[in-house]
Amino acid sequence: MKDESELSSSVLAGRYKRLQQFIWLAQFVIMMVIASNYVAGVDVLETPILLAAFVINFVSLTCLYLKKFTLSSAILLVNCAFVLTALMSVNNGLRDSAVIGLPGLVVFAAIVGSSRLFYCILLYLVCFVIGLGYYDIEMGYPRNIAPINWSVVADIIVILLVIGFAIKQLVNELKKQTNRLTYESQQASKSHKEIELIAHHDALTGLPNRYLAEDRFQQSLAHVTRSGEVVGLLFIDLDHFKPVNDNLGHDIGDALLKEVAQRISDVVRKRDSVCRIGGDEFVVIIEANNHQSAVGDIANKILETVNLPFYISSHRIDISASIGVALSPNDGEDFHDLTKKADLAMYKSKALGRNACSFFDEELNQELALKSKLIEQLRETIFKKSLNLNFQPVIDLKRDKVVANEALVRWNNGVELWISPEVFIPLAEDNGMIYEIGKRVLKEACLQCAVWRKSGYGNLSVSVNISNHQLRDNQLETIVLESLTQANLPPEALTLEIKESALISKYNQVERQIKSMRKLGVKFCIDDYGLGHSNLVELYELGIDQIKLDRQLLKDMEDNRYQQKLLDGLLAFAAHLSIEVIAKGIENDEFIETLRKKSCSFGQGFLLGEPMSPSELDIYLERAYQ
């Protein structure tokens, strides 16, 4: 039998209740026997024995109330055994009616007693029956009853043993099953709690995740609705966190996030909720009775604590945070809507120079409304397939010939006229529309390139910009193959332009996709090279064919001799590794001559050719190839 401490509280409660019922049943039986003797006018020696037993049972009941289960059951069973054997001794021996109670006592002991106590009671009763039988048979104890023999004694003993062991076996089996079910119930409950913890908490920091954050927000909102307070939702984004991951590795970045989580948790009050909703983004839910001032005070404390240096694995790390705040019910009562507003306010803090806190206001509300309107218009435009595709030529500076055209998507929403790609591309990425846009641009660009080649421009290729979201999508390679096959275009005629930031995960999915498509013959180009941290050797090992120098980088080189020496070294090293260099943003003839002298083979810019529609580009190509 398992120790009582291993049993659940519900099992123990059942055993206590059962023993209590048995004690009161025994008291009732004793009182009934005393009363029946009194009514019958029988003057026997039973009454003192029964009264003593009645008092002793109250001692057992007291022990039970004191949570001493084992002692209480022992007193009750020993007392019952004493009463039955005493009554048999002073009355009719083995012919006395009290013998009927012996099997009941054995059952009683099996149910409420421990195994040791059960066997002690059973052994005592067997020995008593043998002893009393011997006394009556061999000693010739005179009783005014029919004589007995050893057969009667054996019968009683057999009955006691059979009933006792049968009941004990049954009770043991029931206890095992009860304990097993209790254990399984406890394990199931434990597993449920663990699953719930995993589902509602961030694995890295242990903080509540986005799902639990919404629940905490609803609880706070319900509380402030009754008290007349407000709920402040703080959206926190770490400044300069990406370079930590890039330069020191993700292990250091993870350790930094855990330290940031701890600092924020130490700053806020116990009733406030700190949640991590992804990446380097945190949400803090605050109940405040003083509107903006109380929420603002906590936000400033968070800024101060995050701004202090972090020391992780012998590295000193300096970061800051940008915080956006939305208040409920003033700014709304829907968690997702409020999160968007706080996120928008956070970007205002970024625009103010970071390490700042901004509250959502009407100006931001108008901006959010415009953003929502643009999202709906963009979704409708994609559905109607009415995005425009323009092409900007890439020129071979040595031969002054067009060698490729970059596909550029343009959007005229019919209301605000042309919307800049810098506006609608991030919207498409945030709302999952970039995949449909990218798929359509790839197919149309390949089809258009095939038309050029059939028109006599056999060496022309086309380049298509691929966002980081698309590059991490497992369907990209399939879409590229479908586009090439549908247009009957050779893979070497397609160049995919990607951002340098996409190479952060190059050793995983991105690297596999690039190398897989490179084997097919598709080329890759790094756009806006010079803004990130990758070097040419890494690009060479990855199989990158081209780099496009960032226009701001080239602009800085125009009048800076030191920067021009860097450009000379970059061009020479790239040529040694067979990586083609394309200069972007060319706007004057002098810079073209400079690039030619430095052996920069390719250029692109408004001076060489603006983005044009397919029909305009046809005219441009006809003139260029005359």
Side-chain angles (χ1 to χ4, degrees), residues 403-421:
V403 293
N405 292 296
E406 179 184 359
L408 302 170
V409 64
R410 294 292 183 261
W411 178 32
N412 186 326
N413 69 346
V415 180
E416 304 294 337
L417 299 180
W418 293 103
I419 307 297
S420 169

Side-chain angles (χ1 to χ4, degrees), residues 240-496:
H240 314 299
F241 177 74
K242 182 177 175 294
V244 175
N245 268 341
D246 293 347
N247 299 327
L248 301 180
H250 289 277
D251 290 341
I252 300 296
D254 289 345
L256 176 60
L257 287 173
K258 289 194 283 187
E259 184 65 28
V260 169
Q262 186 60 52
R263 287 194 185 183
I264 296 176
S265 299
D266 291 340
V267 167
V268 303
R269 302 162 301 182
K270 290 184 178 180
R271 63 174 178 168
D272 300 328
S273 298
V274 181
C275 314
R276 182 184 178 220
I277 61 173
D280 59 340
E281 296 174 340
F282 297 83
V283 161
V284 179
I285 300 168
I286 298 171
E287 295 180 24
N289 56 8
N290 197 20
H291 296 272
Q292 289 194 12
S293 59
V295 177
D297 290 342
I298 295 177
N300 288 328
K301 290 180 181 178
I302 294 174
L303 290 176
E304 291 173 3
T305 190
V306 174
N307 205 31
L308 296 174
F310 291 85
Y311 296 92
I312 299 174
S313 299
S314 73
H315 298 285
R316 170 176 170 151
I317 302 174
D318 293 292
I319 61 171
S320 58
S322 296
I323 301 178
V325 183
L327 300 176
S328 183
N330 303 20
D331 298 324
E333 297 184 359
D334 180 75
F335 175 76
H336 299 286
D337 181 53
L338 212 64
T339 303
K340 290 180 181 179
K341 292 178 178 179
D343 185 22
L344 196 60
M346 181 274 296
Y347 278 105
K348 181 180 178 181
S349 298
K350 295 273 190 187
L352 292 174
R354 307 176 190 270
N355 193 30
C357 173
S358 301
F359 283 79
F360 183 82
D361 54 24
E362 186 56 35
E363 181 181 348
L364 288 174
N365 193 29
Q366 293 176 0
E367 185 178 333
L368 182 61
L370 177 59
K371 183 177 179 181
S372 300
K373 182 180 177 182
L374 286 176
I375 291 172
E376 290 303 316
Q377 291 176 347
L378 180 59
R379 187 173 284 112
E380 183 179 358
T381 300
I382 294 172
F383 177 76
K384 293 181 178 179
K385 298 181 179 180
S386 54
L387 284 171
N388 298 77
L389 200 60
N390 286 359
F391 296 89
Q392 185 175 24
V394 176
I395 308 297
D396 184 332
L397 298 178
K398 294 180 180 178
R399 297 184 298 134
D400 199 23
K401 289 289 184 180
V402 180
V403 293
N405 292 296
E406 179 184 359
L408 302 170
V409 64
R410 294 292 183 261
W411 178 32
N412 186 326
N413 69 346
V415 180
E416 304 294 337
L417 299 180
W418 293 103
I419 307 297
S420 169
E422 295 179 357
V423 173
F424 74 82
I425 292 297
L427 289 180
E429 291 178 338
D430 292 341
N431 293 274
M433 294 181 281
I434 191 64
Y435 302 104
E436 186 61 33
I437 293 176
K439 183 177 180 180
R440 183 185 161 216
V441 170
L442 261 171
K443 289 188 175 183
E444 290 192 9
C446 289
L447 288 171
Q448 185 61 55
C449 186
V451 171
W452 294 327
R453 289 189 164 223
K454 289 178 182 179
S455 300
Y457 313 119
N459 294 324
L460 271 183
S461 63
V462 66
S463 61
V464 178
N465 290 281
I466 301 296
S467 74
N468 293 357
H469 292 72
Q470 291 174 271
L471 196 59
R472 297 188 181 101
D473 181 19
N474 290 325
Q475 299 298 316
L476 177 61
E477 185 176 350
T478 302
I479 295 171
V480 169
L481 286 173
E482 287 178 356
S483 301
L484 292 171
T485 303
Q486 184 177 346
N488 195 24
L489 188 70
E492 60 269 16
L494 175 63
T495 300
L496 300 181

Side-chain angles (χ1 to χ4, degrees), residues 523-535:
K523 296 180 180 180
F524 278 84
C525 174
I526 301 298
D527 195 14
D528 294 330
Y529 182 81
L531 295 178
H533 304 278
S534 61
N535 57 60

Side-chain angles (χ1 to χ4, degrees), residues 60-279:
S60 174
L61 190 62
T62 303
C63 293
L64 182 63
Y65 286 146
L66 295 175
K67 305 299 182 182
K68 297 180 179 180
F69 180 84
T70 303
L71 179 60
S72 175
S73 61
I75 293 174
L76 174 65
L77 293 173
V78 171
N79 189 32
C80 290
F82 164 75
V83 171
L84 292 175
T85 55
L87 291 176
M88 292 171 63
S89 297
V90 300
N91 291 319
N92 299 320
L94 295 180
R95 296 289 188 181
D96 192 78
S97 60
V99 76
I100 301 174
L102 298 185
L105 179 59
V106 173
V107 174
F108 207 38
I111 295 175
V112 300
S114 64
S115 294
R116 182 181 301 176
L117 184 58
F118 166 77
Y119 289 116
C120 287
I121 294 294
L122 183 60
L123 180 62
Y124 167 73
L125 294 179
V126 170
C127 291
F128 173 78
V129 170
I130 294 173
L132 187 59
Y134 176 82
Y135 187 73
D136 283 352
I137 297 170
E138 303 297 333
M139 300 301 292
Y141 185 78
R143 298 180 189 274
N144 298 321
I145 56 175
I148 65 169
N149 53 42
W150 283 109
S151 177
V152 175
V153 174
D155 290 344
I156 295 174
I157 292 173
V158 170
I159 292 172
L160 287 175
L161 291 176
V162 171
I163 293 177
F165 282 109
I167 292 298
K168 184 58 182 174
Q169 188 68 22
L170 178 61
V171 170
N172 284 344
E173 189 63 29
L174 288 174
K175 286 183 178 179
K176 287 180 181 178
Q177 292 297 328
T178 301
N179 291 340
R180 182 179 63 82
L181 291 174
T182 301
Y183 175 77
E184 291 179 356
S185 176
Q186 290 172 341
Q187 291 299 110
S189 178
K190 182 179 178 182
S191 299
H192 177 73
K193 290 180 180 178
E194 291 176 352
I195 293 172
E196 191 175 68
L197 182 67
I198 293 172
H200 294 92
H201 288 79
D202 173 53
L204 177 64
T205 62
L207 295 176
N209 59 15
R210 183 183 294 271
Y211 303 105
L212 189 54
E214 182 174 0
D215 181 68
R216 296 281 179 88
F217 170 78
Q218 295 299 338
Q219 291 180 19
S220 296
L221 184 61
H223 181 261
V224 301
T225 300
R226 295 190 299 268
S227 62
E229 299 178 340
V230 296
V231 177
L233 193 148
L234 280 63
F235 193 102
I236 305 170
D237 184 86
L238 301 183
D239 303 323
H240 314 299
F241 177 74
K242 182 177 175 294
V244 175
N245 268 341
D246 293 347
N247 299 327
L248 301 180
H250 289 277
D251 290 341
I252 300 296
D254 289 345
L256 176 60
L257 287 173
K258 289 194 283 187
E259 184 65 28
V260 169
Q262 186 60 52
R263 287 194 185 183
I264 296 176
S265 299
D266 291 340
V267 167
V268 303
R269 302 162 301 182
K270 290 184 178 180
R271 63 174 178 168
D272 300 328
S273 298
V274 181
C275 314
R276 182 184 178 220
I277 61 173

